[in-house]
Amino acid sequence: MRSKLARLFTIKTRLEAFLVTYAIAVGAVERGLHYTQQYPGNGGIILAIACLGVPFIAGAKLLDSVRPAMATVAAGTARRAPPRRLSRSRPTDRRSVPGSALPSSRHKD
C-alpha cells in the first residue's frame, strides 16, 4: 500500500515537471509579495528576488531528472554518443611555428 501511495508523488513526465514548476513559481511570487509588504525597502526586494530565483533552479533540476534515458541497441548495449568536434571559433596558439614572430592564420581560401 505504501508503494502505491508513493507512486502518486513520483514525477514521471516532462508535463508533470512543468506543472510542479508552475506551482512552485506561483508560491514563490506570492511569498515574494509578502516579503515586499512585510519588509518595505531594499530588504524586501532582495528577499523577493531570492524567492523568484528558486523556480528556475528547481525547474531545471526537475526537467533534468525526467529526461528520457539513452536509447539502447537490440543487443542491449547503450548507443555511443558521436565524438565531440572542437569549436573552430576558439583561438589557438600559433606561435609554435619556429621563426614566426606573430601568429598567422592557417585558413586557406
Side-chain angles (χ1 to χ4, degrees):
M1 184 67 179
R2 181 184 267 179
S3 64
K4 287 184 180 181
L5 188 63
R7 280 192 306 182
L8 292 173
F9 298 102
T10 303
I11 299 171
K12 299 176 194 94
T13 64
R14 290 178 65 85
L15 177 65
E16 292 172 351
F18 281 121
L19 291 175
V20 170
T21 305
Y22 177 75
I24 292 171
V26 169
V29 168
E30 186 67 27
R31 187 72 229 159
L33 288 175
H34 285 292
Y35 278 142
T36 55
Q37 292 170 358
Q38 195 171 13
Y39 304 107
N42 291 337
I45 292 172
I46 290 171
L47 289 172
I49 290 172
C51 284
L52 295 177
V54 170
F56 289 104
I57 296 169
K61 288 287 189 183
L62 286 172
L63 288 173
D64 283 345
S65 68
V66 295
R67 195 164 296 268
M70 187 181 294
T72 57
V73 182
T77 59
R79 186 183 308 168
R80 293 184 65 182
R84 291 183 61 189
R85 187 174 149 191
L86 295 176
S87 172
R88 292 186 181 215
S89 62
R90 183 182 291 174
T92 59
D93 187 23
R94 294 188 176 93
R95 286 178 273 175
S96 61
V97 178
S100 66
L102 295 174
S104 61
S105 175
R106 296 181 190 171
H107 187 262
K108 299 189 187 209
D109 291 286

